[in-house]
Amino acid sequence: DAGITQSPRHKVTETGTPVTLRCHQTENHRYMYWYRQDPGHGLRLIHYSYGVKDTDKGEVSDGYSVSRSKTEDFLLTLESATSSQTSVYFCAISVQGRPETQYFGPGTRLLVL
Amino acid sequence: GQQVMQIPQYQHVQEGEDFTTYCNSSTTLSNIQWYKQRPGGHPVFLIQLVKSGEVKKQKRLTFQFGEAKKNSSLHITATQTTDVGTYFCAGPPLYGDYKLSFGAGTTVTVRA
């Protein structure tokens, strides 16, 4: 599965608290992505990164920030969690030479109360 | 922006029957990809089609990319219980970056 891990795998938090999700990859892939998955919406891109300290917004970036200080780690932060951010969050990578084909991590289930 | 739609949203199939799910994009795609997600799992890449009119097969699964590169289909023959899951299509625009737009998926259940 392309050596991708996500942590935590499950989290329950309260409205207004900051939350950070971590995506870790072991194969030095350049491109990394954060998606959220909600019923009826498929997968929606939150942010993506095309290198260390190089990130850009996706279609649902409001309320989220990202950081990538090392090739292997891509962090997603919910600055002040809201109930609408209850979702399953997937990290993905693209392999060298095939930037548009993506391989997903196992996901993080987040519940915001 | 680019929108990708899939129909049907749900497909209930008798084991052994065939079915087709469809994917339509509002814009021309560079390529089309299909992913499968088992219940409780993560999306897994199945296949990519690049050429206009391309057809590819994976055992009982047949994938087709439309001539205008705006639509695609997935046909499954002799459905088995292992086919249960949600099938997503996704594609980057013909002109632009590599960001994928995903359809909402077709969720397949199988009656034994």
Side-chain angles (χ1 to χ4, degrees):
Chain A
D1 287 328
I4 306 169
T5 58
Q6 292 184 233
S7 58
R9 294 293 313 280
H10 300 87
K11 186 169 181 67
V12 180
T13 191
E14 293 187 350
T15 298
T17 60
V19 176
T20 296
L21 309 182
R22 179 182 184 234
C23 177
H24 179 78
Q25 53 128 338
T26 59
E27 300 180 7
N28 292 320
H29 296 298
R30 179 182 173 191
Y31 288 88
M32 299 184 74
Y33 308 82
W34 276 108
Y35 290 89
R36 60 177 290 174
Q37 183 175 37
D38 305 288
H41 289 278
L43 292 145
R44 293 182 292 175
L45 182 65
I46 305 171
H47 281 280
Y48 66 103
S49 170
Y50 42 94
V52 173
K53 297 186 179 179
D54 290 325
T55 65
D56 206 349
K57 295 179 180 180
E59 62 178 298
V60 290
S61 59
D62 287 348
Y64 301 95
S65 62
V66 290
S67 66
R68 193 169 178 198
S69 58
K70 298 184 291 185
T71 300
E72 58 265 35
D73 288 325
F74 192 30
L75 303 180
L76 176 70
T77 297
L78 288 65
E79 294 144 5
S80 177
T82 67
S83 58
S84 65
Q85 294 177 311
T86 292
S87 187
V88 180
Y89 291 86
F90 287 102
C91 174
I93 60 95
S94 297
V95 300
Q96 187 69 25
R98 298 185 67 184
E100 70 272 17
T101 301
Q102 295 178 12
Y103 298 88
F104 288 82
T108 295
R109 292 186 175 273
L110 176 67
L111 174 61
V112 183
L113 300 174
Chain B
Q2 179 183 337
Q3 293 185 358
V4 177
M5 292 152 286
Q6 286 186 252
I7 53 171
Q9 184 177 0
Y10 298 99
Q11 183 79 53
H12 308 289
V13 188
Q14 181 72 40
E15 190 174 17
E17 290 184 342
D18 303 351
F19 75 90
T20 303
T21 179
Y22 300 91
C23 173
N24 294 285
S25 171
S26 59
T27 60
T28 304
L29 300 172
S30 171
N31 62 79
I32 190 80
Q33 301 168 37
W34 287 87
Y35 294 78
K36 178 182 179 180
Q37 184 177 23
R38 296 184 184 276
H42 59 277
V44 174
F45 172 76
L46 292 178
I47 204 163
Q48 180 185 39
L49 295 90
V50 178
K51 299 177 182 177
S52 172
E54 187 171 10
V55 178
K56 287 188 176 181
K57 291 188 176 183
Q58 286 183 349
K59 297 183 180 179
R60 297 177 294 101
L61 278 61
T62 301
F63 303 85
Q64 185 168 7
F65 199 12
E67 294 290 341
K69 301 185 76 172
K70 296 181 70 174
N71 62 288
S72 180
S73 64
L74 161 59
H75 180 78
I76 299 181
T77 59
T79 304
Q80 300 177 359
T81 55
T82 53
D83 296 322
V84 164
T86 301
Y87 294 84
F88 295 99
C89 64
L94 182 60
Y95 302 107
D97 55 28
Y98 299 124
K99 290 184 288 186
L100 294 181
S101 292
F102 281 82
T106 294
T107 298
V108 176
T109 56
V110 179
R111 299 188 302 272

Short mmCIF file of all heavy atoms in Angstrom, two decimals, chain B residues 13-35:
data_model
loop_
_atom_site.label_atom_id
_atom_site.label_comp_id
_atom_site.label_asym_id
_atom_site.label_seq_id
_atom_site.Cartn_x
_atom_site.Cartn_y
_atom_site.Cartn_z
N VAL B 13 -27.25 -6.01 -6.83
CA VAL B 13 -27.11 -7.01 -7.89
C VAL B 13 -27.27 -8.41 -7.32
O VAL B 13 -26.77 -8.70 -6.22
CB VAL B 13 -25.72 -6.89 -8.55
CG1 VAL B 13 -25.64 -7.78 -9.78
CG2 VAL B 13 -25.40 -5.45 -8.93
N GLN B 14 -27.94 -9.26 -8.07
CA GLN B 14 -28.01 -10.67 -7.73
C GLN B 14 -26.68 -11.31 -8.14
O GLN B 14 -26.16 -11.03 -9.24
CB GLN B 14 -29.16 -11.35 -8.48
CG GLN B 14 -29.35 -12.82 -8.18
CD GLN B 14 -29.92 -13.06 -6.80
OE1 GLN B 14 -30.79 -12.35 -6.34
NE2 GLN B 14 -29.41 -14.09 -6.13
N GLU B 15 -26.16 -12.14 -7.29
CA GLU B 15 -24.91 -12.83 -7.62
C GLU B 15 -25.03 -13.55 -8.95
O GLU B 15 -26.03 -14.23 -9.20
CB GLU B 15 -24.56 -13.82 -6.51
CG GLU B 15 -23.17 -14.42 -6.62
CD GLU B 15 -22.82 -15.28 -5.40
OE1 GLU B 15 -23.73 -15.68 -4.65
OE2 GLU B 15 -21.62 -15.55 -5.20
N GLY B 16 -24.05 -13.36 -9.79
CA GLY B 16 -24.05 -13.98 -11.11
C GLY B 16 -24.54 -13.07 -12.22
O GLY B 16 -24.33 -13.38 -13.41
N GLU B 17 -25.20 -11.98 -11.86
CA GLU B 17 -25.71 -11.06 -12.89
C GLU B 17 -24.62 -10.08 -13.31
O GLU B 17 -23.60 -9.91 -12.64
CB GLU B 17 -26.92 -10.30 -12.36
CG GLU B 17 -28.16 -11.17 -12.19
CD GLU B 17 -29.37 -10.36 -11.76
OE1 GLU B 17 -29.20 -9.23 -11.27
OE2 GLU B 17 -30.49 -10.87 -11.91
N ASP B 18 -24.88 -9.39 -14.43
CA ASP B 18 -23.99 -8.35 -14.93
C ASP B 18 -24.57 -6.98 -14.57
O ASP B 18 -25.78 -6.83 -14.39
CB ASP B 18 -23.86 -8.43 -16.44
CG ASP B 18 -23.37 -9.77 -16.94
OD1 ASP B 18 -22.96 -10.61 -16.11
OD2 ASP B 18 -23.41 -9.99 -18.17
N PHE B 19 -23.72 -5.98 -14.50
CA PHE B 19 -24.21 -4.61 -14.37
C PHE B 19 -23.15 -3.65 -14.87
O PHE B 19 -21.97 -3.99 -15.02
CB PHE B 19 -24.59 -4.28 -12.93
CG PHE B 19 -23.43 -4.04 -12.00
CD1 PHE B 19 -22.89 -2.77 -11.82
CD2 PHE B 19 -22.87 -5.09 -11.30
CE1 PHE B 19 -21.83 -2.56 -10.97
CE2 PHE B 19 -21.81 -4.90 -10.45
CZ PHE B 19 -21.28 -3.63 -10.28
N THR B 20 -23.61 -2.42 -15.12
CA THR B 20 -22.74 -1.35 -15.61
C THR B 20 -22.95 -0.10 -14.77
O THR B 20 -24.09 0.25 -14.45
CB THR B 20 -23.02 -1.04 -17.09
OG1 THR B 20 -22.86 -2.23 -17.85
CG2 THR B 20 -22.07 0.03 -17.60
N THR B 21 -21.87 0.59 -14.46
CA THR B 21 -21.94 1.88 -13.80
C THR B 21 -21.27 2.91 -14.70
O THR B 21 -20.32 2.60 -15.41
CB THR B 21 -21.28 1.83 -12.41
OG1 THR B 21 -21.37 3.14 -11.82
CG2 THR B 21 -19.84 1.41 -12.46
N TYR B 22 -21.79 4.13 -14.64
CA TYR B 22 -21.39 5.15 -15.60
C TYR B 22 -20.80 6.37 -14.90
O TYR B 22 -21.19 6.73 -13.78
CB TYR B 22 -22.60 5.58 -16.44
CG TYR B 22 -23.21 4.47 -17.21
CD1 TYR B 22 -24.23 3.69 -16.67
CD2 TYR B 22 -22.74 4.15 -18.49
CE1 TYR B 22 -24.79 2.64 -17.38
CE2 TYR B 22 -23.30 3.11 -19.21
CZ TYR B 22 -24.32 2.36 -18.64
OH TYR B 22 -24.87 1.32 -19.34
N CYS B 23 -19.90 7.02 -15.61
CA CYS B 23 -19.19 8.18 -15.08
C CYS B 23 -19.19 9.27 -16.16
O CYS B 23 -18.86 8.98 -17.31
CB CYS B 23 -17.76 7.76 -14.76
SG CYS B 23 -16.64 9.09 -14.28
N ASN B 24 -19.58 10.48 -15.79
CA ASN B 24 -19.63 11.58 -16.75
C ASN B 24 -18.97 12.82 -16.18
O ASN B 24 -19.27 13.22 -15.04
CB ASN B 24 -21.08 11.90 -17.12
CG ASN B 24 -21.74 10.78 -17.88
OD1 ASN B 24 -21.48 10.57 -19.05
ND2 ASN B 24 -22.59 10.03 -17.20
N SER B 25 -18.12 13.43 -16.99
CA SER B 25 -17.43 14.65 -16.56
C SER B 25 -17.99 15.85 -17.30
O SER B 25 -18.38 15.75 -18.46
CB SER B 25 -15.93 14.53 -16.85
OG SER B 25 -15.28 15.77 -16.63
N SER B 26 -17.99 17.00 -16.62
CA SER B 26 -18.46 18.23 -17.25
C SER B 26 -17.42 18.81 -18.21
O SER B 26 -17.74 19.67 -19.02
CB SER B 26 -18.81 19.27 -16.18
OG SER B 26 -17.67 19.56 -15.38
N THR B 27 -16.17 18.35 -18.07
CA THR B 27 -15.10 18.83 -18.94
C THR B 27 -14.31 17.65 -19.49
O THR B 27 -14.40 16.54 -18.98
CB THR B 27 -14.14 19.76 -18.17
OG1 THR B 27 -13.57 19.03 -17.09
CG2 THR B 27 -14.85 20.98 -17.62
N THR B 28 -13.56 17.91 -20.54
CA THR B 28 -12.74 16.87 -21.14
C THR B 28 -11.61 16.49 -20.18
O THR B 28 -10.99 17.35 -19.56
CB THR B 28 -12.14 17.37 -22.46
OG1 THR B 28 -13.22 17.79 -23.32
CG2 THR B 28 -11.36 16.26 -23.16
N LEU B 29 -11.38 15.20 -20.09
CA LEU B 29 -10.38 14.69 -19.15
C LEU B 29 -9.09 14.29 -19.86
O LEU B 29 -9.11 13.86 -21.00
CB LEU B 29 -10.94 13.48 -18.40
CG LEU B 29 -12.21 13.73 -17.57
CD1 LEU B 29 -12.76 12.41 -17.07
CD2 LEU B 29 -11.92 14.66 -16.42
N SER B 30 -8.01 14.42 -19.15
CA SER B 30 -6.74 13.91 -19.64
C SER B 30 -6.74 12.38 -19.62
O SER B 30 -6.23 11.73 -20.55
CB SER B 30 -5.60 14.44 -18.76
OG SER B 30 -4.38 13.81 -19.08
N ASN B 31 -7.26 11.81 -18.58
CA ASN B 31 -7.40 10.37 -18.46
C ASN B 31 -8.50 10.09 -17.46
O ASN B 31 -8.98 11.01 -16.78
CB ASN B 31 -6.08 9.72 -18.04
CG ASN B 31 -5.60 10.19 -16.67
OD1 ASN B 31 -6.09 9.73 -15.64
ND2 ASN B 31 -4.63 11.10 -16.65
N ILE B 32 -8.91 8.86 -17.36
CA ILE B 32 -9.92 8.47 -16.38
C ILE B 32 -9.35 7.33 -15.55
O ILE B 32 -8.65 6.44 -16.08
CB ILE B 32 -11.26 8.07 -17.03
CG1 ILE B 32 -12.35 7.92 -15.97
CG2 ILE B 32 -11.13 6.80 -17.83
CD1 ILE B 32 -12.94 9.24 -15.52
N GLN B 33 -9.60 7.38 -14.28
CA GLN B 33 -9.13 6.33 -13.38
C GLN B 33 -10.32 5.79 -12.60
O GLN B 33 -11.29 6.49 -12.35
CB GLN B 33 -8.10 6.90 -12.41
CG GLN B 33 -6.89 7.50 -13.09
CD GLN B 33 -6.03 8.30 -12.16
OE1 GLN B 33 -5.85 7.94 -10.99
NE2 GLN B 33 -5.49 9.39 -12.65
N TRP B 34 -10.19 4.52 -12.23
CA TRP B 34 -11.20 3.88 -11.41
C TRP B 34 -10.55 3.35 -10.14
O TRP B 34 -9.45 2.78 -10.18
CB TRP B 34 -11.89 2.75 -12.17
CG TRP B 34 -12.83 3.24 -13.22
CD1 TRP B 34 -12.54 3.56 -14.52
CD2 TRP B 34 -14.25 3.46 -13.07
NE1 TRP B 34 -13.67 3.98 -15.18
CE2 TRP B 34 -14.73 3.91 -14.32
CE3 TRP B 34 -15.15 3.33 -12.01
CZ2 TRP B 34 -16.07 4.23 -14.53
CZ3 TRP B 34 -16.48 3.62 -12.22
CH2 TRP B 34 -16.93 4.08 -13.47
N TYR B 35 -11.27 3.55 -9.06
CA TYR B 35 -10.82 3.10 -7.75
C TYR B 35 -11.94 2.27 -7.11
O TYR B 35 -13.12 2.51 -7.35
CB TYR B 35 -10.50 4.29 -6.83
CG TYR B 35 -9.34 5.13 -7.28
CD1 TYR B 35 -9.46 6.05 -8.31
CD2 TYR B 35 -8.10 5.01 -6.66
CE1 TYR B 35 -8.39 6.83 -8.73
CE2 TYR B 35 -7.01 5.78 -7.06
CZ TYR B 35 -7.17 6.68 -8.08
OH TYR B 35 -6.10 7.44 -8.49
#
